[in-house]
Amino acid sequence: MKRCGWESGRDTLLVHAGSDPGKNFGIVNPPVYRASTVLFKDMEEFRRRGERRYRWFSYGTDGTPTTFALTDAVCRLEGGAGTLAFSSGLAAITLSILALVRSGDHILMVDSVYGPTRRFCDQVLKGFGVETTYYDPLVGAGIAGLIQDHTRLIFTESPGSLSFEVQDIPAICAAAHGRGVPVAMDNTWATPLFFDALGHGVDISIQAGTKYLGGHSDLLLGLVTTRDEELFKRLKDTRDALGDCVAPDVCSLALRGMRTMGLRLRHQQQAALELARWLEGRPEVRRVLHPALEGDPGHDLWRRDFTGSSGLFGIILDTEDETARDAFIDALELFGIGFSWGGFESLVVPADPAPIRTARPWQEPGLVVRLNVGLEDIEDLKADLERGFARMRSA
Ligand SMILES: *Cc1c(COP(=O)(O)O)cnc(C)c1O
């Protein structure tokens, strides 16, 4: 399959992909086409609707030209064979898994995976007779020893969005492909801008567009890009069978977000790194979980495979006292307490990987707090964290 999209620079692609003013009265942004019903010209066209089913639309659930403007742009960014939009990042993940497994099958799931993905495996897949084995995020080529005859998918997420371990994606893909098993990756943290998932061997690249693509904390969207046409068709069939779809209004907002995504990500990368380095020197912080820091255990892999880092990282506070942690968080005025991330505003949440993990127990002492660095002035963010530490010390 020819990889499209690499003929221009990434920023140029972010700015121009999915926009065709010549077909739209010169107006820069694609219009929002809302639809349930789509009319057919005649019975001939009606009969032949199946021929366009994977690349165009016959009903609103397939999307409209607004949806295709977005998915075509993302496909070029990812360098894939096809991209599908889903109603949320989680729907993109669960439907991608469902497309590949049947009762009696087995999947390998990384132990550091996003919590709701794990819940889907333990509650839904298990009930349907699909077995999940969690594996150590640091397994690398050792994944070969875990692949069974009925393994149908290896799922990766790198770095883990709570604990930030970096996976050896090329080694995992090589082992998987040696056994004919496809690899899916949740690439929400790095986005296709900072990690070329398909280029590193991943078959199904997933991102929660909710995060950096949307970028403004006001939409929910999942995007899946596949390396080959067959996988794309399986995914589309599964999505259609389950009735998942995304509103064109959301796609339009996501396209708007895409125009500034490179700029935002690069700024958030710099700001997060500066804060992370500063936090490393703070006595209240035991360790900073950020793979772009030189001392991080995942740093070498990150430097080899990634071209940047985003604005999400963790800190381990030098305390086991939840009251002190809560005092730290409650004192913050700019970092809002809230889920999701990737927006323009800074966020904080407490995180506890320990009770979740089964393959590689989380044994780091201290309490984990996750920070999403937004677009505020860095000095203001530092002052906010200083305020938190002062409150923590006196708690
Ligand atoms: C947020 C998130 C998702 C899910 O995205 P939603 O659109 O909120 O469902 C998936 N993976 C990771 C790593 C995330 O952070």
Side-chain angles (χ1 to χ4, degrees), residues 9-19 28-29 255 258-260:
R10 312 317 290 297
D11 283 317
T12 306
L13 210 52
L14 287 173
V15 169
H16 291 288
S19 166
V28 172
N29 290 304
L255 271 169
M258 195 175 82
R259 307 306 179 204
T260 57

Side-chain angles (χ1 to χ4, degrees), residues 277-294:
R277 293 206 173 100
W278 175 75
L279 286 161
E280 273 188 313
R282 293 291 311 196
E284 299 88 352
V285 176
R286 190 168 279 169
R287 191 152 94 73
V288 178
L289 308 171
H290 191 319
L293 292 178
E294 288 71 18

Side-chain angles (χ1 to χ4, degrees), residues 337-349:
I337 307 170
F339 289 118
S340 207
W341 44 276
F344 53 81
E345 87 292 22
S346 292
L347 294 172
V348 59
V349 277

